[in-house]
Amino acid sequence: MKKIAGIAFVPLLLLLACNNNGTETLTDKENYKKATETLLEKEKKTPIAFLKVNSHDKHNLFGQTVIKGSIDNNAKVCSYKDVQLQLSFFSKTGTLLEKSNETIYDVIAPGKSVDFKTKYFAPKGTDSVGIKVLAAKINQ
């Protein structure tokens, strides 16, 4: 009799386990959707936190400072466009000589990067250029 009760109990357990997984999958999907929406809102509110600029500069024969670089989008969901950069020109001693703004009119998908190149007649005595992201628009 105990054997029959044990045999009947195993299928009942399996049946309950299968039904329970179906509802957990639904809540897992809902939780994932909520987490994605929360992440999207965070990425929309603070694009500067997800964009990183790498650059280097050199001088050409015409006396211009040529700045080449890339903007990396570290966001998981959100694409950005029209990234505004601030260029700061420094002397050998680290004194700020001048600031200028530049906009990169391109779309940067999540996890991707965009290359850019710009030329400036930098102020006399410029030794280095610092670049930071000021703002970016959300690509809908």
Side-chain angles (χ1 to χ4, degrees), residues 78-133:
C78 201
S79 294
Y80 301 108
K81 67 178 182 176
D82 303 342
V83 179
Q84 295 177 12
L85 303 176
Q86 180 182 59
L87 289 77
S88 302
F89 299 92
F90 295 97
S91 70
K92 286 183 182 181
T93 61
T95 303
L96 177 64
L97 301 173
E98 186 178 303
K99 287 185 180 180
S100 182
N101 292 339
E102 177 83 16
T103 302
I104 307 302
Y105 296 102
D106 212 338
V107 176
I108 310 171
K112 302 292 181 183
S113 65
V114 169
D115 294 330
F116 68 92
K117 178 181 175 181
T118 186
K119 298 177 185 177
Y120 275 91
F121 282 107
K124 187 175 182 178
T126 297
D127 181 60
S128 62
V129 180
I131 301 178
K132 74 175 186 177
V133 177

Side-chain angles (χ1 to χ4, degrees), residues 37-54:
E37 288 173 356
T38 305
L39 182 61
L40 178 64
E41 289 303 314
K42 182 188 261 187
E43 290 176 356
K44 281 184 176 182
K45 286 180 186 176
T46 56
I48 296 171
F50 297 97
L51 295 172
K52 182 180 174 190
V53 178
N54 298 309

Side-chain angles (χ1 to χ4, degrees), residues 23-36:
T23 57
E24 285 179 12
T25 303
L26 182 61
T27 57
D28 287 346
K29 287 179 183 177
E30 289 172 357
N31 289 338
Y32 175 75
K33 186 176 180 182
K34 286 178 185 177
T36 303

